[in-house]
Amino acid sequence: LWKVETIGDAFMVASGLDGVRTKSRASAISDPSRIGSSLCPATAAVLFGKSALAAARTLTMPNSMQCQIRAGVHTGDVCSGVVGSRMPRYCLFGD
C-alpha cells in the first residue's frame, strides 16, 4: 500500500501499482493480522480500510465525540507521473 496524496481531510492509498500479482486467500479478509503478507493488492487495500475503521471506533476525540472516518474502494485503471516544473510532485490519476 502506498499513501499517494492528501486531499482535504482525506488521504488516498493505492495498492498494486508495482504490477506484482499474488494469490488471495478468502480467509484473509476476516484476519486483519495478515496485512503486509503476500495478499493480492485489492485484498490488502480492503483489509487496510477495515482495520482503519476498527481503530477509529476505539478512539475518542478531545471533544468527547467518537472518532469517525470514512473509507471507500475504487478499482480501475490509473495513470501516474510528475506534474509541475517549479515545484514538481508525483500525481496519480484514475478513471
Side-chain angles (χ1 to χ4, degrees), residues 29-62:
I29 294 209
S30 62
D31 185 5
S33 67
R34 300 277 324 253
I35 292 178
S37 64
S38 61
L39 298 174
C40 79
T43 303
V46 170
L47 287 175
F48 172 78
K50 288 176 68 172
S51 295
L53 290 169
R57 281 193 293 271
T58 67
L59 301 174
T60 304
M61 304 296 284

Side-chain angles (χ1 to χ4, degrees), residues 70-88:
R70 55 191 161 88
V73 176
H74 171 75
T75 61
D77 296 331
V78 296
C79 178
S80 64
V82 177
V83 177
S85 57
R86 244 186 350 173
M87 193 166 64

Side-chain angles (χ1 to χ4, degrees), residues 6 13-14 26 28 46 62 68 88:
T6 302
V13 174
V46 170
Q68 296 180 351

